[in-house]
Every structure is written in structure tokens, then in C-alpha cells.
Amino acid sequence: MRGWRWQRRSWNGTRAVGGMVLNQVIKLLQSKYHYKEEAKTICDKVQVKLSKECFHPSSTCINDLRTLHWEEAIQETKGGAANRILAEECYFLWKSTRLQHMILAEDVKAMLTELRKEVRLLLLTNGDCQTQREKIEACACQSYFDAIVVGGEQKEEKPSPSIFYYCCSLLGVQPGDCVIVGDTLETDIQGGLNAGLKATVWINKNGIMPLKSSPMPHYIISSVLELPAVLQSIDCTVNMSA
């Protein structure tokens, strides 16, 4: 049985809805609290804090940490005393709106359904277990995969080979029979190469030119819907070599 690992952001996920979600918070700050220019500045500061976020589940929970991001951004922008209540309102609006837009597109669902008739599918994602499990639940993708692995629940995350070997064991396949599909070169593709998988497929939706120092995927696609053709190509190459 061949295996295929699917990286988390292949649905309409975090990156795709980021601007839309922040706009909801900006509207809240402007309409309810009359923060005009400050609203966008606060959201920009939160985005920076999220990009630099270091989360240690043993010392805090993700909700507290991200509420603190909003609290600090508001205080840095407006001055005065910290406003925890407003920070919580902003954070939970941001979080709930974000989850509402975690959607697995119909054409992707159809593709997964067809692929699962031929291969075993596993969803592998890095990140905090609470955050990632909430996303998985929100987009209702569990039934399209044979297994789901969240890095925050394991000893090591991508690109460590160990989490890839663990995924292979769950699928009952050898690394050399497995393909990873993901949109991040440094974790998905590098991890697949580190683990010696059969092939790595990079989803390059924005046509980015990777750095020369970046790991080199075996295949590059601009949409996940191109995947069935790539998998067929991989099979043809293997059969010809045999």
C-alpha cells in the first residue's frame, strides 16, 4: 500500500484568510471603540508578534499567549494601562472568524475521495496541538484521511525525520513508498528529503522563486488539484525504472 502525506495548509487555511480575519477586528475597533488609524496599527503589530511567536505549552496556554499579543499591541499603540478585556474581545473575534473560514473546498474533497481509493492519506501538521486540532475540527477534514498527526503532540516536528517515520508506521508503509505534499520548503520538503521519502511535492501557489540554499523538491505544482497527475507520473517513473 502506498502512502501520501498531506501538509496542513492545502485547505483554505491560515494564510488565505489572514487579511479577511484582521479586517473584522479592525471594524470592531473602529465602530465600537472609535479607534480610527490605530485599529490597523494594532492589527499590524499583532501580525508581527504572531510571526515571531515562541510557544512553550509547559509554561502557558496558547489562548493566554495570543491574548497577550493583542494586549501588548493595544498598549503600545494607545498607551495607558493594559486593557485585558479589550484584548480578549479582539483575540476571540480573530480566532472565531479564522476558524469559520477554515474550509476544505469541494473540488479538493472530491480529489481526496478519489485518491483514497488508491493510496492511504495522512495529514501532518506542525504547531500547537490545541490550535491545530481546532482547525482540523473546523474544516471537518478528518473523514478524508486515514490518520492525522499534529507535531505539537510528538517529541519532534517537521523537518525531523522521526515524525515522518512515525507517520509511515501509522500508514503501514516504508519511507521509500511515501510521498509528502506541502507548501513549506524548510519543513515539508526538507523533512521529506531528510526521511528519504520516495518523492517530495511542493505546492508553490504564488510562483515564488526559492533561494539557491533552499531544499529542492522532486516536483513543483501551483495547485494541489494538479496532484493526481503528479502521482501518476511518479508511478510511471517507478515502473519504468523497474
Side-chain angles (χ1 to χ4, degrees), residues 40-222:
K40 186 176 186 308
T41 302
I42 290 168
C43 289
D44 288 344
K45 286 180 178 291
V46 169
Q47 280 191 297
V48 172
K49 293 176 188 295
L50 288 168
S51 70
K52 298 178 179 179
E53 185 176 86
C54 292
F55 175 62
H56 302 288
S58 60
S59 60
T60 187
C61 78
I62 194 68
N63 286 341
D64 287 343
L65 176 62
R66 291 186 169 174
T67 298
L68 182 62
H69 292 336
W70 286 98
E71 187 176 335
E72 290 176 345
I74 293 166
Q75 190 171 24
E76 290 165 8
T77 304
K78 294 292 290 181
N83 191 336
R84 182 74 176 187
I85 294 175
L86 176 56
E88 288 178 345
E89 187 175 4
C90 291
Y91 166 63
F92 284 106
L93 174 61
W94 173 83
K95 177 180 175 178
S96 62
T97 306
R98 191 170 179 242
L99 291 174
Q100 288 168 13
H101 289 86
M102 293 285 169
I103 299 169
L104 196 62
E106 292 301 321
D107 50 2
V108 175
K109 290 180 182 178
M111 181 195 70
L112 291 173
T113 299
E114 289 302 309
L115 283 174
R116 204 167 171 210
K117 295 175 182 177
E118 302 292 334
V119 298
R120 302 197 71 187
L121 305 180
L122 182 146
L123 172 61
L124 170 62
T125 173
N126 277 359
D128 164 60
C129 55
Q130 177 187 330
T131 302
Q132 300 307 89
R133 290 292 177 184
E134 287 174 345
K135 292 179 186 177
I136 291 163
E137 185 71 26
C139 74
C141 65
Q142 300 94 320
S143 63
Y144 296 94
F145 297 93
D146 295 284
I148 294 176
V149 175
V150 176
E153 298 170 351
Q154 305 299 317
K155 292 181 179 180
E156 295 181 299
E157 296 187 303
K158 299 175 292 181
S160 171
S162 66
I163 195 167
F164 289 86
Y165 299 150
Y166 174 68
C167 291
C168 289
S169 68
L170 287 180
L171 293 178
V173 299
Q174 294 299 312
D177 294 324
C178 196
V179 175
I180 183 167
V181 183
D183 64 357
T184 305
L185 290 170
E186 293 75 17
T187 54
D188 306 320
I189 304 308
Q190 186 63 66
L193 295 172
N194 291 347
L197 303 190
K198 177 193 286 188
T200 58
V201 182
W202 180 39
I203 306 171
N204 184 11
K205 291 186 290 187
N206 299 318
I208 298 169
M209 182 64 69
L211 299 173
K212 290 184 179 179
S213 58
S214 297
M216 182 61 65
H218 296 96
Y219 298 88
I220 301 175
I221 56 180
S222 59

